[in-house]
Amino acid sequence: MAVKKYFADYDTTITNAFKSNLTSRGINANMGASDILETFSIYGQASSGSTELERILIQFPIDEISNQRAQSKIPASGSVKFYLNMYNAPHNE
């Protein structure tokens, strides 16, 4: 069984987390230049019903994958499995 690796073209993390004052949100936050991707969900920090989310967006080279499938360099749909391989980065929390 052969393994072919594809690497993301772009990635970023977006969030709607509260700023340190816990009243306004960081809705324009975009961590595109960061060397890590992080995701979280915080419930009840600003008030009993508040929710804060951070999401990961990743763009892969879909055109390259489609072209390689058309050229029979990778198997047809249903005959191959794709896996997203990510690692945990050390952090203080």
Side-chain angles (χ1 to χ4, degrees):
M1 176 171 80
V3 174
K4 179 140 182 78
K5 293 184 179 183
Y6 294 99
F7 296 93
D9 291 331
Y10 304 101
D11 59 58
T12 191
T13 303
I14 58 172
T15 185
N16 70 348
F18 283 102
K19 295 180 180 178
S20 59
N21 62 13
L22 296 180
T23 57
S24 58
R25 291 185 181 266
I27 58 173
N28 294 327
N30 180 334
M31 284 64 85
S34 177
D35 57 345
I36 63 169
L37 297 171
E38 62 180 327
T39 185
F40 64 75
S41 176
I42 301 173
Y43 181 77
Q45 178 171 287
S47 66
S48 62
S50 68
T51 303
E52 302 170 67
L53 301 172
E54 187 163 77
R55 298 169 183 92
I56 297 171
L57 301 174
I58 304 173
Q59 180 178 321
F60 287 93
I62 300 300
D63 291 339
E64 177 186 349
I65 296 168
S66 295
N67 289 339
Q68 290 186 353
R69 178 166 277 166
Q71 296 170 8
S72 299
K73 292 183 179 178
I74 59 174
S77 180
S79 302
V80 65
K81 294 180 181 179
F82 292 92
Y83 295 94
L84 178 62
N85 193 10
M86 299 180 79
Y87 300 91
N88 190 21
H91 52 81
N92 64 348
E93 295 181 22

